Amino acid sequence: MTKEENKMEKIDVMESILDHNDKIAEETNTALNKSGIFTINVMGAPGAGKTSTIISIIKEIKDLKAYVVEGDIESDIDTKTLTSLGIDTIQINTHGACHLDAPTISSALKEFNMDQPGVMFIENIGNLVCPAEFQIGEHIKMLIVTVTEGSDKPYKYPLAFEKADIIIINKCDLIPYVDFDEEYFMAGVRVLNPSALVVKVSSRQNTGFKEVTEWICKKTRSLKQ
Amino acid sequence: MTKEENKMEKIDVMESILDHNDKIAEETNTALNKSGIFTINVMGAPGAGKTSTIISIIKEIKDLKAYVVEGDIESDIDTKTLTSLGIDTIQINTHGACHLDAPTISSALKEFNMDQPGVMFIENIGNLVCPAEFQIGEHIKMLIVTVTEGSDKPYKYPLAFEKADIIIINKCDLIPYVDFDEEYFMAGVRVLNPSALVVKVSSRQNTGFKEVTEWICKKTRSLKQ
């Protein structure tokens, strides 16, 4: 096989994996629609505050049932936190895989009794690269970034920013102590993604979540109509 | 093919990829030894401060020639910063791939004129997962984490902590403003890795690098003997 043929075969295999993934993601999405569960694929780098952001949002949307799927390489630290707050949570451990995929989610959701409409958060593996490549059945993608990661992230990890429907800038309480250039950051975001909602929050100080929550509730209501 | 056979085939393919990778990594390592270049695989999450840490170290080790290979999904922001400081730097863009591998490094190093002994930093893709799985020809792995990422990272991303020879805790100037539990963090580190050197630094305030630099210089000298 020539090098070119080898490369083409690799591309074919990758396309076939993505096709299979997307087919299952579509089936999951149909099931979630039937249950009236608006589903959010939560992406972000390690330590961006994905779990604490999810908790802040759930505390604010009191009148909607919340489901969480926790994706981690190892450990169930976040699931313990969530269940201690009375939130219906399933743990997935990928033991090395750097993203969630549709077959994994489809299989995990069988553990949920999805009899109540509401909102589901699927917390992806902490990684700004691969999670953005895989549909997992979600309605929207939420990207969580932080002011401590620096203003150049849209330029360095474009796909996650391009695919996001909502971008949450977390840890804004630390702005006085870091060199976050919001103008440069937003210029990078808008080149990739002219329409995503961008909201500044602090999970630690529990500020900024009203706008996020109203947006999610509106989306959830429109799903049920 | 049964599901089990399919799984075994996937494992075989993965093992064969890793074998091929490790063979090339070994060849690269031999070439670097011949040139007297001590090589560090620098790993860390997006925004951990990999480039700024590399710059702080290079500024401190004035009497050794420094080489940098910059791995990024997209962009050459960090390479521009490094070359503006007069540091010999090569840019690699993976256009989607979430880690560097040995063939990529082997091919990139041909661009360097490695006629002077010294230290080489290979800055891996910002990702706490996959980079730890692939040898790229390095002598040691340096893991850079931050106090803003939270104290639970060793428990959630164990492989990177297990494989590291030196762990740098960056952004320590932010300790007063975040909830970093050093005791819990270190307990997690030591279960996985009893011997790695762990050093607290602040790239922003340029503190803590003396110990790191002395350790690197000692390793480099022992390579040349």
Side-chain angles (χ1 to χ4, degrees), chain A residues 1-217:
Chain A
M1 203 186 286
T2 67
K3 206 174 164 184
E4 195 52 32
E5 281 169 340
N6 189 10
K7 196 175 156 191
M8 289 310 292
E9 193 177 277
K10 277 190 188 162
I11 291 171
D12 285 349
V13 169
M14 194 59 203
E15 278 177 356
S16 143
I17 290 169
L18 283 173
D19 281 352
H20 176 65
N21 182 81
D22 289 357
K23 200 179 146 276
I24 296 178
E26 219 175 289
E27 288 166 11
T28 300
N29 191 265
T30 305
L32 289 164
N33 279 335
K34 270 189 198 159
S35 300
I37 298 174
F38 183 71
T39 300
I40 305 173
N41 182 351
V42 183
M43 312 182 300
K50 293 182 287 302
T51 309
S52 50
T53 298
I54 290 170
I55 290 172
S56 291
I57 295 171
I58 291 176
K59 279 187 179 165
E60 189 93 14
I61 48 166
K62 302 167 194 96
D63 56 339
L64 280 174
K65 161 84 182 172
Y67 304 82
V68 178
V69 180
E70 263 300 316
D72 284 295
I73 304 281
E74 304 288 351
S75 93
D76 60 353
I77 296 170
D78 295 335
T79 292
K80 278 184 184 150
T81 309
L82 288 154
T83 49
S84 77
L85 295 168
I87 300 164
D88 222 349
T89 309
I90 286 172
Q91 177 71 50
I92 295 175
N93 284 129
T94 64
H95 305 296
C98 62
H99 62 272
L100 298 175
D101 60 17
T104 306
I105 293 301
S106 166
S107 159
L109 292 191
K110 288 179 188 133
E111 288 179 45
F112 269 141
N113 184 5
M114 301 197 296
D115 53 356
Q116 262 184 278
V119 187
M120 182 181 291
F121 298 86
I122 304 180
E123 184 179 328
N124 221 308
I125 304 300
N127 179 350
L128 266 190
V129 189
C130 306
E133 287 176 29
F134 290 80
Q135 300 278 351
I136 52 176
E138 75 271 24
H139 293 97
I140 61 150
K141 290 187 207 293
M142 173 185 281
L143 175 62
I144 301 176
V145 294
T146 69
V147 296
T148 58
E149 287 167 49
S151 338
D152 55 7
K153 292 300 150 294
Y155 304 89
K156 289 182 171 175
Y157 302 88
L159 192 68
F161 286 87
E162 191 189 316
K163 296 263 184 172
D165 299 282
I166 176 168
I167 298 169
I168 294 191
I169 309 176
N170 194 13
K171 308 195 187 181
C172 282
D173 53 302
L174 296 176
I175 286 179
Y177 316 110
V178 296
D179 311 303
F180 183 70
D181 181 342
E182 190 177 340
E183 204 178 317
Y184 178 61
F185 175 86
M186 283 307 300
V189 169
R190 287 309 179 208
V191 165
L192 298 159
N193 191 328
S195 62
L197 177 65
V198 180
V199 189
K200 288 160 77 177
V201 309
S202 163
S203 292
R204 193 160 178 258
Q205 298 189 338
N206 200 27
T207 55
F209 287 99
K210 204 164 176 282
E211 191 180 356
V212 180
T213 310
E214 281 173 0
W215 186 84
I216 291 173
C217 289

Side-chain angles (χ1 to χ4, degrees), chain B residues 130-151:
Chain B
C130 305
E133 288 176 28
F134 290 80
Q135 301 278 351
I136 52 176
E138 74 272 25
H139 293 96
I140 61 150
K141 290 187 207 290
M142 173 185 282
L143 175 62
I144 301 176
V145 294
T146 68
V147 297
T148 58
E149 286 168 49
S151 338

Side-chain angles (χ1 to χ4, degrees), chain B residues 182-195:
Chain B
E182 191 178 339
E183 205 178 315
Y184 178 62
F185 175 85
M186 282 307 299
V189 168
R190 287 308 179 208
V191 166
L192 297 160
N193 191 327
S195 63

